[in-house]
Each structure stands twice: as C-alpha cells, then as structure tokens.
Amino acid sequence: MDSKIYRQRREIAEEVSLPDQIEEISKEFINNLGRVADFFGFNRLMGQLYAVLFLSPEPLTLDDMVKKLESSKGNVSINIRALERWGLVRQIYKWADRKNYYEAEPDVWKAVSGILQERERKESQQIISSLNQSVERLEQASKTASGQEAVTAQFYMERMEVLRRLFKFGDSLLDMMVQGGAVDFGSASRLARSTDEYKEGISDLDELALQQLESDQESHGARN
Amino acid sequence: MDSKIYRQRREIAEEVSLPDQIEEISKEFINNLGRVADFFGFNRLMGQLYAVLFLSPEPLTLDDMVKKLESSKGNVSINIRALERWGLVRQIYKWADRKNYYEAEPDVWKAVSGILQERERKESQQIISSLNQSVERLEQASKTASGQEAVTAQFYMERMEVLRRLFKFGDSLLDMMVQGGAVDFGSASRLARSTDEYKEGISDLDELALQQLESDQESHGARN
DNA sequence: TAGAACGTTTAGAATTTTTTGAACGATGTG
DNA sequence: CACATCGTTCAAAAAATTCTAAACGTTCTA
C-alpha cells in the first residue's frame, strides 16, 4: 500500500514510464466497464472480466484473470461462466492443455443486442403480459361493478393502459435494435402521455407509427 | 399469515368479491413497478411508491403510503423525496393542512425521458469522455513507443475505439429519445463490429448515418 | 499409485443496500 | 404553555449481494 503511494508520487515527479502509462489506461478502462456492468444490473467483476479479456490479444486462463483483478479463483470462475451464458465470453480449447482459455466476444454490438434480447426484452414482455391481463380483468370488472367501483376500475384501467403503451413501445424499440429497423421518437413521445391528452392525442400519423410497431410486435409472438 | 392463506383459498372456492379483485390487480401492478424500478437501478420501494400514487385519483400523504405499502415512515420519506428529485412525483399543498400530499407525474414519457437525460446520459457521457482521453493518450504513446509497446498501445486503441463508438451511438440514441428524432438501427449494428471488419465495414450509407449522429452529438456540447 | 494442476462448489465472511424505530425540530392547537 | 401532529434524520438492525478460502472431483503426470 505504502509503496504504491510512493510510486505514484514518483511517477508524477519524474515522468511516467510508457508501460506504466499504458497499464494505467488499461486499469481505468477495466474499472469503467466494471461500473457499466453495475449500472446495467450485472456486477462489477463481470464487467471487469469482460474488459480484461477485451483488452487481451490472446485468450486468458482463469489464473491470469485472478492475478490481473486480484480476485479469488472461485469468484472469477462463477462470474466468467455467467459471462459465458450471456454470450459475452467464449471458451477456447488448446491442444494438449488442460487449462481453459477465454476470450471476449469482440463484436460488442452482438454482445449488447444479445443481452437486450435475452434480458431486457424478457423483462418488458413479462410486464406487458401482466398489464394486458390486468386491463382485461378490469374491463370485465367495470361492467358488473356498481357506481364507485366502476369508477375506480375505469380509472385504474386508463392509467395502466398508458403504461402498457409505454412498455410496448419500449419493447418494440428493443426489437428494432436487435433486428435492425428504424424508429421515430417524435411519435413515440405522445404514446405515453397522460390519459386525457392521450385520448385525443393520437393523430393519424401517430396512429400509423403505432400500428406499425404493434404489428411488428405481434409477429414475434408476444402476447397482445 | 394463516388467515391470508385461508382467505385466498376461500376466494378461489367461493368467488372473489369485486373490491378484492380490484385490490389484487392493483397490488400486482404495484409489485410490477417495484421490479421495474429495481431493474433500472432504483429500488423496489421507489417503484412501488410511484405505482401507488399513479393509481390514486387524489394525492396521498406520507401516512397513506406507509399504510398501503406497510413500510416505515422514515423509509417512505426518504424514497418519496428521491422520487421528487427525479421529477417523478410532485408535492401538493392543501390549504390549512400541514400534511404534505404527493401525486405521481402522470405523463410517463416525460418521467422516463427525464431519467434518461439525467441519469443514463450522464453515465454514458462520463464513459465516453474517459474513453476519449484514453484513446488520445494511447495515440501519443504509440508514437514514442518502441516495438512491443507500440503494438500493445495500438491494439488497446483499436479496441477502445470500438467501444467508444458504441457508447456514442447509445448516447445519441438517448438524445433522440429525449429530444425527439429518428434512428436507423440498420446502420447502427455495424458501428460496433470488431476492429477488422470495422475498418472496411463503414460504407457510404453508414458513414452518413454516423456523421449525422455525431454532429448532433457535438451540437449538444458533449466532449468529443 | 501418489501427487500435481485445474475448475467448481459452498459455507460463511465481508460488504453494500435497504429498512426500521426512536429521537428530534418545527408547526399548529387547546 | 403543554400537548399533538408531521416530516426528517440517523444509528443500528436486517436483508441482500458479493467475495473468499478451503474442500472436492477430475484429469493428467511421474
């Protein structure tokens, strides 16, 4: 610890050696991806592992990574396999070598859209499906209901419908990202406005954009 | 606890009363938004609070929410103020009433784009700025460097450049969502491909799309 | 066959996040 | 003024997450 502080100070005073400088940049990158991973609901180590592999010209072994990140073997083992399941990292087998080597998926777009498809979309579809059911049930309820209850059911229904639209739009957006396609956010913004405005707010053009999105949605088998 | 199980069972057997049914739907909605909040890096309670307010025709007091969510006053107080800071909830003052009343921002699109602007964009811009610096420093380094080091610096640079492009695209996308605008994901996918492909992968059309995004980006004052 | 090298698993330690509950200050009321 | 109401704060508890280190099973080597 002390030696590190001392070293840093010396570096500033004297001039940093090139390898050290490069090492420092690499560290910063690794930490950045750690934060990103955290931000996206993974954990720091997963991001750091991906970063280490992403910056390595050759595949690395478990122990390489343990050393680099000063973590434990168990921890790295668990997290590297999580990365594998997400398709962010792949295993490399070497001839006559019992060790496992890993390398990062270099196509980061592929990596990201895989996650969008497997995680974000699943989440959004769950919500949408739940909202669909709720709205449907409320619709039923509001028919048999008397006075006060009918009003409540109606109100809930409208509010949930607004959210449902938002999530559907989000889901379509994700789909576009994964499949390729184009999105106009101009119309999107009106999709999820408050109920009152919304009722008269869906103009011809918006209607079109909306329908396009919804049909696309359905064609991928999501519950409507 | 036991009474709850019993009640559920009775509901299935006998038929559920309308108010109970509506109550149940509302609970599900509240829990769903709790999960969503979690997913987006807030916490469960924040989502639940927003949901409770979103489903309430009139503004609610702290104690209303405490009762509804069976949480503590302190906890609700802290989280409701967080929601306020995010612009997701606003305070209502009533004449001759010392209590604070709260209501949810009903325009969910506004709510979401506020978050995108204030949180996701800040995050992405930090990363981009850090990557910019790193790439720049590596560029410098690779000039003075000798053999092996130059190769390493070059490699790091290329890899980081790929990520930098991805984040810039993400940031532009966020900007589009917030400002309104259109995005073509067809070109986006090639922005972040692996270095080799990337070099010859940017065709005329992609180049165009890219430039459009980048100029837009700069015009909003982000560090380039 | 003994032992080394390697990756996985897991109990529990450490850390971080969330929640509680009590104390407190501020404001109003009789 | 004594007392009640209301919201905030904060230390400590509880819960959730992440991490470690040791035990273990496999596979290979001498």
Side-chain angles (χ1 to χ4, degrees):
Chain A
M1 282 295 125
D2 274 6
S3 75
K4 203 168 184 182
I5 291 171
Y6 172 70
R7 200 161 133 273
Q8 274 222 335
R9 200 178 275 150
R10 210 193 54 174
E11 283 171 2
I12 291 164
E14 283 188 16
E15 184 100 344
V16 196
S17 77
L18 257 188
D20 282 1
Q21 217 179 344
I22 292 177
E23 178 66 14
E24 188 196 324
I25 293 173
S26 135
K27 283 245 175 70
E28 187 181 334
F29 180 79
I30 292 167
N31 282 334
N32 271 333
L33 283 206
R35 285 190 35 193
V36 170
D38 229 17
F39 192 78
F40 277 70
F42 297 95
N43 68 52
R44 195 167 287 106
L45 188 59
M46 277 177 78
Q48 291 174 322
L49 284 170
Y50 183 83
V52 165
L53 292 176
F54 192 69
L55 285 191
S56 169
E58 322 88 26
L60 301 179
T61 67
L62 253 196
D63 280 325
D64 292 336
M65 297 183 269
V66 167
K67 214 178 301 168
K68 187 85 180 178
L69 294 175
E70 301 175 35
S71 183
S72 69
K73 215 162 45 138
N75 204 5
V76 169
S77 170
I78 284 169
N79 282 283
I80 204 76
R81 284 189 309 125
L83 283 168
E84 241 186 305
R85 280 198 303 281
W86 285 111
L88 299 177
V89 152
R90 66 170 69 97
Q91 237 171 315
I92 302 287
Y93 300 100
K94 291 204 177 181
W95 176 251
D97 192 336
R98 262 193 318 131
K99 291 197 212 72
N100 288 344
Y101 290 81
Y102 296 90
E103 68 176 17
E105 163 64 57
D107 184 338
V108 286
W109 178 264
K110 197 163 150 194
V112 167
S113 64
I115 292 171
L116 296 180
Q117 177 71 29
E118 289 301 316
R119 217 183 51 150
E120 331 288 302
R121 282 204 80 195
K122 249 164 211 157
E123 185 74 14
S124 72
Q125 285 173 1
Q126 276 199 352
I127 306 282
I128 290 169
S129 144
S130 162
L131 285 174
N132 279 333
Q133 284 175 35
S134 294
V135 169
E136 212 170 285
R137 288 174 64 191
L138 285 170
E139 209 155 14
Q140 288 304 316
S142 75
K143 283 178 190 164
T144 21
S146 60
Q148 185 47 243
E149 277 151 24
V151 173
T152 306
Q154 187 66 28
F155 180 78
Y156 281 14
M157 226 176 82
E158 284 171 7
R159 291 259 149 150
M160 289 190 189
E161 177 64 16
V162 171
L163 264 203
R164 187 182 140 272
R165 281 173 180 277
L166 180 66
F167 279 104
K168 282 198 85 164
F169 177 71
D171 188 57
S172 309
L173 181 55
L174 290 173
D175 191 48
M176 299 284 181
M177 296 180 74
V178 173
Q179 311 283 335
V183 177
D184 174 24
F185 288 106
S187 61
S189 63
R190 289 202 213 140
L191 288 186
R193 298 240 168 257
S194 71
T195 42
D196 303 341
E197 303 171 39
Y198 143 74
K199 276 175 195 159
E200 6 98 12
I202 298 206
S203 66
D204 22 30
L205 205 128
D206 289 342
E207 197 59 285
L208 250 176
L210 178 59
Q211 277 166 9
Q212 188 239 312
L213 293 178
E214 291 198 344
S215 69
D216 177 78
Q217 169 76 15
E218 280 158 46
S219 72
H220 284 85
R223 190 205 159 87
N224 200 30
Chain B
M1 279 295 123
D2 274 4
S3 74
K4 203 168 184 184
I5 290 171
Y6 171 71
R7 201 163 133 273
Q8 275 224 333
R9 201 176 275 149
R10 210 194 52 173
E11 283 171 1
I12 290 164
E14 282 187 19
E15 183 99 347
V16 195
S17 77
L18 257 189
D20 282 2
Q21 217 177 344
I22 293 178
E23 178 66 14
E24 189 197 324
I25 294 174
S26 136
K27 283 247 176 66
E28 188 181 335
F29 179 79
I30 292 168
N31 282 334
N32 272 333
L33 283 206
R35 286 189 35 195
V36 170
D38 230 16
F39 192 78
F40 277 71
F42 297 95
N43 67 52
R44 195 166 289 106
L45 188 59
M46 277 178 78
Q48 290 175 323
L49 285 169
Y50 183 82
V52 165
L53 293 176
F54 192 70
L55 285 191
S56 169
E58 323 86 24
L60 300 179
T61 67
L62 254 195
D63 279 325
D64 292 337
M65 297 184 269
V66 167
K67 213 179 299 168
K68 188 84 180 178
L69 294 176
E70 301 175 36
S71 184
S72 68
K73 216 160 45 134
N75 205 5
V76 169
S77 172
I78 285 168
N79 282 284
I80 204 76
R81 285 190 308 126
L83 283 169
E84 241 186 304
R85 280 197 302 281
W86 285 111
L88 299 176
V89 153
R90 65 169 72 96
Q91 234 170 316
I92 302 286
Y93 299 99
K94 291 204 179 182
W95 175 251
D97 193 335
R98 267 202 305 137
K99 292 198 209 73
N100 288 344
Y101 290 81
Y102 296 90
E103 68 175 19
E105 163 63 59
D107 184 340
V108 287
W109 179 264
K110 196 163 149 196
V112 167
S113 63
I115 293 170
L116 297 180
Q117 178 70 28
E118 289 301 317
R119 216 183 53 150
E120 332 289 302
R121 283 203 79 193
K122 251 166 208 155
E123 186 74 14
S124 73
Q125 286 174 0
Q126 276 198 352
I127 306 281
I128 290 169
S129 143
S130 163
L131 285 174
N132 279 334
Q133 285 176 33
S134 294
V135 169
E136 211 171 285
R137 289 174 64 190
L138 285 170
E139 209 156 13
Q140 286 306 316
S142 75
K143 284 178 189 165
T144 20
S146 60
Q148 185 46 242
E149 279 151 23
V151 173
T152 305
Q154 187 67 28
F155 181 79
Y156 282 13
M157 225 176 81
E158 283 170 7
R159 290 260 149 151
M160 290 190 190
E161 177 63 17
V162 172
L163 262 202
R164 188 182 139 272
R165 279 173 180 278
L166 180 66
F167 278 103
K168 282 198 84 165
F169 177 70
D171 187 58
S172 308
L173 181 55
L174 289 173
D175 190 48
M176 299 284 181
M177 297 180 74
V178 174
Q179 312 283 335
V183 178
D184 174 23
F185 289 107
S187 61
S189 64
R190 288 201 213 140
L191 288 186
R193 297 242 168 255
S194 69
T195 41
D196 303 342
E197 301 170 41
Y198 146 73
K199 277 175 194 157
E200 6 98 10
I202 299 208
S203 66
D204 22 30
L205 205 126
D206 289 341
E207 196 60 284
L208 251 175
L210 178 59
Q211 277 165 8
Q212 188 241 312
L213 292 178
E214 290 198 344
S215 68
D216 178 77
Q217 168 78 12
E218 281 159 46
S219 71
H220 285 83
R223 191 203 158 87
N224 198 33

